[in-house]
Amino acid sequence: MRELFSLMKFGTKSALWAAIVNTIVAIIKTIAYLITGNVAMFAEMMHSFGDAANQIFVFIGSALSKKEPTERFPGGFGRLVNLVLLGAVLVVGVLAYETIVEGIHHISNAVHSEDWFWLNIGVLGFAAILEAIVLYKAMKEITEHLPKEETKGFKIIPQSYKHIKGAKAATKLVFLEDNVAVGGALLAMLAIIISTYTPFHSATGYASIIIGIALLLVVSRIFLDNAAGVLGVADVKMQARIGAKVLQHPKINDIQDLNVIKEGDHLHIELKVEVDSKMTIEEADDIRDYIEKRIYESIKNVTNVIIEFDEDDQHLTWIVPPEDGKN
């Protein structure tokens, strides 16, 4: 138990913040829904409860994935965060389904009501502000590797969307869910205004369906990403980057094989290089130390590097693209 709590400090901070904020928001929305009975508020309530549950599991999973390898699990626990996220998307999927069903039911039974208008608008506006704060924290995590001048002020917004593919699995989930959360709150507010002041009284029902569909799209994206993570997906860009660094050593003639596998937030690297057949063990050991040092110094989250040597077959296998060779 002590080890569990000690690992919590390594959890994804944006997920923790999102879990706290969504729990508070979900409680407020529940109270508002019980008072008003508004279907758009119901959709937002379900959304917030789903996000809160998800992000609690994500935070715990991202923390436990940092646990050191053991004799029973020598490969480490890096993929644990992917497994947790696969479970988390099931929760969101169920809530998205319930949200869509409730929206359809409301469309067929829409009634005009001006009761509790400002309560609904106030709660959703407050929720949108809190969700936007969490979204900003996720943006900061996504762009933390970029120079400060590139993320200054509103520049962080386009940069976060540009680099979302390279974000950690847990941060990506928080980012995508909070995009839906902020957009959903604003959509629900618009739907309430339309249904109150126009003859289109079923607007909140349609808003509920749109929010549910948006949640399903997030579920689909997160499921596909983390299913690949559980299987062990290759980082092609990182392979090219590492290959370029390795070939800078004058005694390495070629790279026969190079695999960079994502283990959750970590990278596992397997490398097979070709050298002169007359090279001594001492020289090969020096090359191994050189490669390991360069990789560990220049690339974050590398857990282990496995290097094998083979004699030069005089056939070029690894070709470095010009743009990567400059790095």
Side-chain angles (χ1 to χ4, degrees):
M1 186 61 70
R2 183 181 297 176
E3 183 184 15
L4 175 63
F5 284 112
S6 66
L7 287 170
M8 289 300 104
K9 63 184 178 182
F10 298 112
T12 303
K13 297 301 184 293
S14 61
L16 177 61
W17 273 103
I20 294 171
V21 168
N22 276 295
T23 299
I24 296 171
V25 170
I27 293 171
I28 295 173
K29 288 178 180 177
T30 301
I31 295 171
Y33 170 67
L34 293 175
I35 293 173
T36 66
N38 188 283
V39 70
M41 186 64 71
F42 173 82
E44 280 297 294
M45 176 193 75
M46 296 291 278
H47 182 190
S48 294
F49 272 121
D51 283 357
N54 263 345
Q55 287 150 357
I56 288 171
F57 284 118
V58 168
F59 173 70
I60 295 173
S62 64
L64 294 179
S65 68
K66 305 300 190 296
K67 179 178 171 63
E68 294 294 327
T70 63
E71 290 185 6
R72 186 178 180 186
F73 300 102
F77 297 83
R79 299 187 192 185
L80 183 59
V81 66
N82 299 114
L83 288 171
V84 171
L85 287 170
L86 284 178
V89 297
L90 295 177
V91 177
V92 179
V94 172
L95 294 177
Y97 169 78
E98 292 296 332
T99 301
I100 293 172
V101 169
E102 186 66 22
I104 294 172
H105 175 73
H106 179 76
I107 290 172
S108 59
N109 297 278
V111 293
H112 175 68
S113 175
E114 295 185 13
D115 297 335
W116 308 109
F117 173 80
W118 288 110
L119 175 62
N120 286 322
I121 294 296
V123 167
L124 291 172
F126 178 67
I129 292 171
L130 291 180
E131 297 284 8
I133 293 172
V134 176
L135 180 59
Y136 175 72
K137 289 185 178 294
M139 287 180 176
K140 288 186 70 175
E141 286 191 9
I142 292 170
T143 58
E144 63 184 0
H145 64 286
L146 298 176
K148 288 186 178 180
E149 58 270 16
E150 292 186 17
T151 59
K152 188 176 181 180
F154 290 104
K155 291 181 181 179
I156 193 173
I157 298 175
Q159 289 290 0
S160 62
Y161 284 96
K162 182 180 178 181
H163 293 88
I164 182 60
K165 288 185 178 180
K168 297 177 182 178
T171 305
K172 185 183 292 186
L173 182 139
V174 173
F175 179 80
L176 293 176
E177 283 192 342
D178 275 288
N179 267 281
V180 177
V182 174
L186 296 176
L187 177 63
M189 290 172 66
L190 178 62
I192 290 172
I193 294 171
I194 292 173
S195 65
T196 302
Y197 294 109
T198 73
F200 188 38
H201 306 315
S202 59
T204 52
Y206 285 101
S208 181
I209 292 174
I210 293 171
I211 292 169
I213 292 173
L215 284 172
L216 287 178
L217 292 174
V218 170
V219 165
S220 302
R221 174 63 184 272
I222 297 298
F223 175 81
L224 292 174
D225 286 351
N226 288 281
V230 169
L231 294 174
V233 62
D235 191 328
V236 179
K237 289 185 178 179
M238 192 60 71
Q239 285 178 183
R241 180 181 171 188
I242 292 174
K245 290 182 180 296
V246 169
L247 287 178
Q248 287 176 359
H249 196 287
K251 293 186 178 180
I252 295 179
N253 299 331
D254 193 13
I255 297 174
Q256 196 174 105
D257 195 20
L258 172 58
N259 292 309
V260 180
I261 307 298
K262 287 186 176 180
E263 300 276 357
D265 297 334
H266 300 135
L267 296 175
H268 169 79
I269 300 171
E270 296 181 1
L271 175 67
K272 191 172 185 179
V273 298
E274 294 182 4
V275 295
D276 194 317
S277 59
K278 298 179 181 179
M279 180 175 290
T280 65
I281 294 177
E282 182 180 0
E283 289 175 313
D285 191 56
D286 289 340
I287 293 175
R288 186 194 309 276
D289 292 340
Y290 167 83
I291 294 173
E292 288 182 349
K293 183 179 179 181
R294 288 216 63 186
I295 290 175
Y296 282 119
E297 286 180 348
S298 60
I299 301 172
K300 294 182 179 180
N301 300 324
V302 176
T303 53
N304 61 332
V305 181
I306 299 175
I307 303 173
E308 296 182 33
F309 292 91
D310 198 3
E311 63 178 334
D312 189 0
D313 60 5
Q314 304 300 319
H315 175 70
L316 186 61
T317 303
W318 191 267
I319 301 175
V320 182
E323 62 271 18
D324 292 314
K326 296 177 182 178
N327 296 331

